[in-house]
Amino acid sequence: MTRKTKADLIRDLIDATRANQVATDKMDEAGGRALGVNRTDGRCLDLVDQAGRISAGDLAVAAGLTTGSITAVVDRLEGKGYLRRVPDPTDRRRVLLEVTDEMRERSW
């Protein structure tokens, strides 16, 4: 058995990371197709699902989008029945976003 150099190990790690990214990208595409959403909307759904509940502003930051873009994303996802706006229990002036049971059922 040949011992690998540090450079070989780094190259192997880079190759494995790139292969993982391609596989993840394919899974994201398949999930988006199954739900009938584009990549950005799918990523935002995932971020909301991971957060449990999140404000639109925090979602914009997490997704790297403007608040105007997030409004359009939320409107589309709410229209599909995947996302809902709910009152913030600690601040009645604020609204939070959460995924719906329908989204969870369809994504499984």
Side-chain angles (χ1 to χ4, degrees):
M1 184 163 125
T2 309
R3 205 175 149 118
K4 290 189 175 192
T5 66
K6 182 177 179 181
D8 291 335
L9 293 171
I10 290 170
R11 171 48 70 205
D12 289 349
L13 179 60
I14 290 169
D15 290 345
T17 300
R18 292 176 69 196
N20 181 62
Q21 288 172 327
V22 169
T24 299
D25 191 49
K26 287 181 180 182
M27 285 297 296
D28 288 345
E29 272 183 35
R33 274 194 313 275
L35 292 172
V37 298
N38 65 42
R39 298 176 76 107
T40 299
D41 291 3
R43 186 172 76 243
C44 288
L45 266 177
D46 191 41
L47 289 166
V48 174
D49 194 27
Q50 289 181 52
R53 285 186 174 167
I54 190 171
S55 71
D58 289 343
L59 177 58
V61 170
L65 299 171
T66 66
T67 54
S69 295
I70 285 297
T71 299
V73 167
V74 170
D75 288 346
R76 283 192 301 270
L77 294 174
E78 189 175 44
K80 288 185 176 288
Y82 296 152
L83 203 64
R84 70 177 149 247
R85 293 170 167 103
V86 296
D88 183 334
T90 62
D91 183 349
R92 65 184 194 160
R93 298 166 297 171
R94 223 166 83 126
V95 172
L96 299 174
L97 307 170
E98 66 181 16
V99 297
T100 62
D101 291 338
E102 179 180 343
M103 193 288 296
R104 285 198 178 91
E105 288 171 19
R106 292 220 37 211
S107 67
W108 278 106

